[in-house]
């Protein structure tokens, strides 16, 4: 069975090139300052490999998921280039940047159970990748306490996403189980 058409693959490459261009001057917050685009690529790869996601619009939305929140991209632009389903998915996982940060974080927990099944899977993959980053590529100025708090908050968001993709939920639980000992180990080195 052919999983992806030539048109699907062309859209995936177009999304990679587009997101790479939009994030070109950004770095992740980790001490190693990896290019920002590594993160959306990891999220899409995790959805495909661990989550077994084969919905091309969801994979496209994963590649594009931080463009509206973190670059000059507008929702209209996503719709023009990639269609309304991709636009809607990206907007479902984008915070409203006009709100204060604490409120945005609170709303992620409140909104999680009401997201679509596809958006829940994207959020799950995003949180898995961010917790991995907090363990293996932590922002240099983050205390232990802040890293542990981040994991607690992400776990509260994920509680509202459960039921959407058991493979990703199991992966999230594995990563969280690794997180605490990894943070303690790093500190004792
Ligand atoms: P931030 O929202 O500031 O940073 C986390 C976000 O940054 C991630 O969700 C991720 O989002 C992005 N990101 C980019 N690079 C990395 C990286 N290498 N590792 C992890 N994330 C990265 O964090 P919080 O404000 O949530 O801080 C965590 C906790 O600490 C909170 O509970 C907060 O209350 C508390 N806090 C503590 C402070 C202190 O000084 N003790 C100060 C401020 C907050 P994306 O996927 O969109 O890129
Ligand atoms: Zn992200």
């Amino acid at each position: 069975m052919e999983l992806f058409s030539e048109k699907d693959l062309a859209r995936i490459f177009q999304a990679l090139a587009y997101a790479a261009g939009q994030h070109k001057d950004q770095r992740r917050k980790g001490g190693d300052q990896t290019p920002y685009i590594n993160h959306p690529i990891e999220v899409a790869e995790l959805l495909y490999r661990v989550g077994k996601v084969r919905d091309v619009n969801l994979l496209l939305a994963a590649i594009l998921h931080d463009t509206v929140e973190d670059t000059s991209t507008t929702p209209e632009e996503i719709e023009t280039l990639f269609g309304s389903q991709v636009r809607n998915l990206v907007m479902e996982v984008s915070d409203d940047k006009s709100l204060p940060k604490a409120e945005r974080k609170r709303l992620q927990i409140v909104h999680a159970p009401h997201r679509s099944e596809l958006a829940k899977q994207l959020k799950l993959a995003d949180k898995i990748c961010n917790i991995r980053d907090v363990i293996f590529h932590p922002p240099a100025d983050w205390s232990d306490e802040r890293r542990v708090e981040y994991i607690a908050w992400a776990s509260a968001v994920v509680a509202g996403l459960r039921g959407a993709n058991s493979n990703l939920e199991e992966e999230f639980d594995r990563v969280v189980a690794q997180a605490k000992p990894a943070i303690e180990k790093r500190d004792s080195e």
Side-chain angles (χ1 to χ4, degrees), residues 104-146:
R104 298 199 310 255
K105 296 192 79 91
R106 189 186 72 79
L107 286 177
Q108 281 204 31
I109 298 172
V110 173
H111 290 154
H114 309 292
R115 295 305 185 203
S116 67
E117 292 299 296
L118 292 181
K120 283 180 179 175
Q121 297 179 68
L122 175 41
K123 265 281 174 217
L124 261 165
D126 192 27
K127 291 290 179 271
I128 293 167
C129 291
N130 284 338
I131 289 188
R132 278 196 197 143
D133 280 348
V134 166
I135 308 171
F136 299 113
H137 312 271
D141 57 345
W142 279 31
S143 64
D144 274 10
E145 191 193 8
R146 185 162 180 184

Side-chain angles (χ1 to χ4, degrees), residues 30-49:
D32 48 6
Q33 294 281 292
T34 51
Y36 198 91
I37 189 62
N38 291 17
H39 164 69
I41 293 172
E42 277 169 23
V43 173
E45 194 273 341
L46 191 75
L47 278 170
Y48 183 83
R49 179 175 50 83

Side-chain angles (χ1 to χ4, degrees), residues 93-110:
V93 300
S94 296
D95 285 351
D96 177 351
K97 282 274 191 118
S98 68
L99 298 172
K101 188 164 160 183
E103 178 65 358
R104 298 199 310 255
K105 296 192 79 91
R106 189 186 72 79
L107 286 177
Q108 281 204 31
I109 298 172
V110 173

Side-chain angles (χ1 to χ4, degrees), residues 50-53 117 120-121 124 128 158 161-174:
V50 176
K52 311 282 182 223
V53 167
E117 292 299 296
K120 283 180 179 175
Q121 297 179 68
L124 261 165
I128 293 167
V158 166
L161 304 171
R162 289 186 189 269
N165 186 315
S166 57
N167 290 328
L168 291 174
E169 288 154 42
E170 283 164 21
E171 180 69 10
F172 181 84
D173 294 337
R174 265 193 296 276

